[in-house]
Amino acid sequence: MADEAAKGETKANGTAPSLNVLAQYVKDLSFESPGAPGSLRGRDAPPGIAINVNVGANPLSDKDFDVNLTLNAKASHDKDVLFNVELVYGGVFRIEGFPQEHMLPLLFIECPRLLFPFARHIIADATRNGGFPPLMLDPIDFAQMFQQRIAEEQGKGKPS
């Protein structure tokens, strides 16, 4: 989306719209393995893994935005929690020259799409360092997540 808009539009002063990553950071990281070392033993069946994803964005200035990608993964076998990993991974983005109607898709689709590979790596390292096979999260369709969020807000009667 950002590339398509950048190709077709330029501002009055001749500069193309831009999306730049100014910083990336771990805001919060937690790994728990409450049953270790017993939870590290082999099992006949793979554990059930529940994954939750959330995206939040806050303006820092007219052009700069803080976008947080929150990933939670909980592995369990029967009633036992094998591990629980939580990550809030953030990025500061400078967005210039885009029409206002593109801002929400940029913040909630493009920015988390740029952050995800780094967050995925951190989750994989945390689970591996916890004694488990690395948890390799599947790619996330942030566009679908955004569309669901908009539909839910419209269903509640909130303006989008």
Side-chain angles (χ1 to χ4, degrees):
M1 170 174 266
D3 290 339
E4 294 168 10
K7 289 177 187 174
E9 300 177 25
T10 57
K11 289 172 39 173
N13 63 7
T15 61
S18 64
L19 170 66
N20 301 98
V21 181
L22 301 181
Q24 292 180 225
Y25 61 94
V26 173
K27 188 168 189 170
D28 187 23
L29 175 62
S30 170
F31 180 86
E32 300 171 7
S33 182
S39 59
L40 300 174
R41 64 178 159 59
R43 307 206 182 281
D44 295 338
I49 299 178
I51 298 171
N52 292 309
V53 180
N54 195 17
V55 177
N58 295 302
L60 299 175
S61 70
D62 289 346
K63 298 176 184 178
D64 297 344
F65 298 85
D66 180 34
V67 177
N68 289 310
L69 174 59
T70 302
L71 301 170
N72 296 323
K74 185 176 188 177
S76 56
H77 183 73
D78 294 327
K79 294 181 182 179
D80 299 328
V81 173
L82 302 178
F83 68 79
N84 189 14
V85 62
E86 300 176 24
L87 172 65
V88 179
Y89 192 72
V92 177
F93 295 87
R94 177 161 294 152
I95 302 174
E96 295 181 278
F98 286 94
Q100 189 60 37
E101 64 269 15
H102 291 180
M103 291 305 291
L104 287 178
L106 283 168
L107 292 169
F108 289 93
I109 299 171
E110 294 303 323
C111 292
R113 191 178 298 175
L114 292 170
L115 295 174
F116 178 75
F118 301 96
R120 179 180 192 247
H121 183 77
I122 293 166
I123 295 285
D125 281 351
T127 54
R128 185 183 63 238
N129 290 340
F132 297 91
L135 177 59
M136 301 303 289
L137 297 175
D138 288 334
I140 296 169
D141 186 346
F142 291 104
Q144 181 184 18
M145 278 182 56
F146 178 70
Q147 290 168 352
Q148 280 181 313
R149 185 175 187 168
I150 294 297
E152 288 171 7
E153 289 180 8
Q154 287 175 345
K156 294 178 184 176
K158 293 181 182 177
S160 58

